[in-house]
Amino acid sequence: MSNAIEYRLAELGLSLPDAPAPAANYVPFVQVGNTLYVSGQISMDENGLITGKLGDALDVETGAAAARRCALALLAQVRAACGGDLNRLRRVVKLTGFVNSTPDFTDQPKVVNGASDLMVEILGDAGRHARSAVSAGSLPLGVAVEIEGIFEIG
């Protein structure tokens, strides 16, 4: 499946970033049995942090694109946890998305769909997962989106 995942990423014109290093006193992932818990990945791309507040300066489409970047960072952490072998990834179990949004913004699920849809685009049925999408009054460094994930690995 690793070659399939890398092939699918290439088909989509995507590549995984290097797994981001933790910014504080925590680890990027913890494995318990076949379950891999990946710490929250913040929205950033090759130009740096994707910042802003949904319902104010950012629209749903921009937020969904930021969530896609979080999904790529999550997969990069999975790759790192698996010693570079994405073939060990069995499925996405759950994503929890935090959206930096105004009190009246109610489209958090549409924003987090950016990550969910990408997981399914890349992994097919193995990318389907349970999920939460919640509002946050602010997020670290002012980022637009942060997403954490739980994965089954072999």
Side-chain angles (χ1 to χ4, degrees), residues 51-135:
T51 61
K53 192 172 283 287
L54 278 293
D56 183 23
L58 302 179
D59 61 18
V60 170
E61 294 75 24
T62 303
R68 284 174 66 91
R69 297 302 302 195
C70 293
L72 291 172
L74 284 166
L75 290 174
Q77 293 292 2
V78 171
R79 180 178 61 190
C82 293
D85 182 9
L86 276 175
N87 190 44
R88 294 183 53 204
L89 176 58
R90 299 288 180 254
R91 73 167 298 125
V92 182
V93 176
K94 183 175 184 187
L95 298 180
T96 302
F98 303 93
V99 180
N100 185 355
S101 53
T102 61
D104 60 335
F105 184 80
T106 59
D107 284 332
Q108 290 83 4
K110 291 179 183 176
V111 170
V112 180
N113 279 347
S116 294
D117 292 347
L118 185 62
M119 291 296 189
V120 175
E121 284 179 63
I122 295 169
L123 302 168
D125 283 340
R128 298 192 187 286
H129 53 273
R131 189 183 86 179
S132 297
V134 298
S135 178

Side-chain angles (χ1 to χ4, degrees), residues 8-54:
R8 185 65 183 137
L9 284 164
E11 277 186 330
L12 295 170
L14 301 170
S15 61
L16 297 183
D18 292 333
N25 189 19
Y26 64 92
V27 294
F29 50 80
V30 171
Q31 182 179 343
V32 178
N34 288 342
T35 305
L36 184 68
Y37 299 86
V38 179
S39 295
Q41 302 298 298
I42 59 176
S43 53
M44 59 188 308
D45 60 18
E46 57 281 345
N47 298 314
L49 298 174
I50 301 169
T51 61
K53 192 172 283 287
L54 278 293

